[in-house]
Amino acid sequence: MKLTFLGTAAAEGLPAVWCNCAVCRKAKEAGGKEIRTRSQILIDYKLLVDFPMDTYMHMLGDKLDLSKADTVLITHAHMDHCYPQEFVLHGEPFAHGMTEPKITVYGNSTVAETFAKATRAELKPEIAPSVPMKTVKPFEQFKTASGYNVTALPAVHTKGEDCLFYAVEHCGKTALLFNDSGILPDVTYNKMAELGLKFDLVSFDCTYGHAKHGEGRHMGALDADGERDKMKARELVHGGTKYVLTHFSHNCNLSHSELCEIEKDYGFTVAYDGMTVEI
Ligand SMILES: [Zn+2]
Ligand SMILES: [Zn+2]
Ligand SMILES: [Zn+2]
């Protein structure tokens, strides 16, 4: 399985849209890996995890044929993860010669409502069947059109919404992809063990940089370190599991290179826009 981290920033981007802080000014100056767009992962060109407004930029930057993707897994309805307006253009006369005629969007009931609201005015009836929206619940398991086995898991993020993150399995390899989530209760890890999940790659929310945030709706690297211990205790991971940090905010006050320097001692790979990892 080949995972490309197309975007690795928290909601405001890095540099942030309206910000003139030192981190953002330095990032603008430096360019390259210091520039982070909103979070999105592409798996084997088939499956997108989250759909931010920067999807268009990701297509441009990586020269992607996004019409190859047949599945989108949306974690929650926050605007940096869920920009369904773009789906109204998924077909003629807006897109010609598409590789896959259909893309199925999965998400919780709040995402489904957001999808309906955002597409109601402009989604042509002849395009609608090519972008079906399917509602999923925590711990639901399903297979995508191209045969990826997905488990939806409950994130700790927004009250009143069943925020999700996903485990994706294909050809015997499994990636666990947190986007926005705080630390998880033991019951969630116990349930993952009951389901027999074992991860070859885990990517963590790292909004707070190299910090321990504790209870809350995002993590820092030291929270991720604790979550990794919980997974090790339940044999959800193994000696060769890869650990990635993503979804960084400028408020963590660290550049990409500074984060890399710190996190190498913790066995974390610091994601950057365009980074590809294979498992
Ligand atoms: Zn986010
Ligand atoms: Zn800033
Ligand atoms: Zn969020």
Side-chain angles (χ1 to χ4, degrees), residues 76 78 80-81 157 180 218:
H76 64 300
H78 279 159
D80 56 321
H81 299 268
H157 191 50
D180 292 12
H218 288 289

Side-chain angles (χ1 to χ4, degrees), residues 4 19 21 55 64 94 126 144 169-170 182 227 276:
T4 306
C19 189
C21 79
T55 304
L64 302 173
F94 310 110
E126 56 273 32
T144 73
E169 187 274 335
H170 191 59
E227 298 303 277
T276 292

Side-chain angles (χ1 to χ4, degrees), residues 11 75-81 157-158 161 163 179-181 205 217-218 247:
T75 55
H76 64 300
H78 279 159
M79 59 83 167
D80 56 321
H81 299 268
H157 191 50
T158 308
E161 178 180 353
C163 296
N179 256 334
D180 292 12
S181 182
D205 176 339
R217 52 199 219 121
H218 288 289
H247 195 278

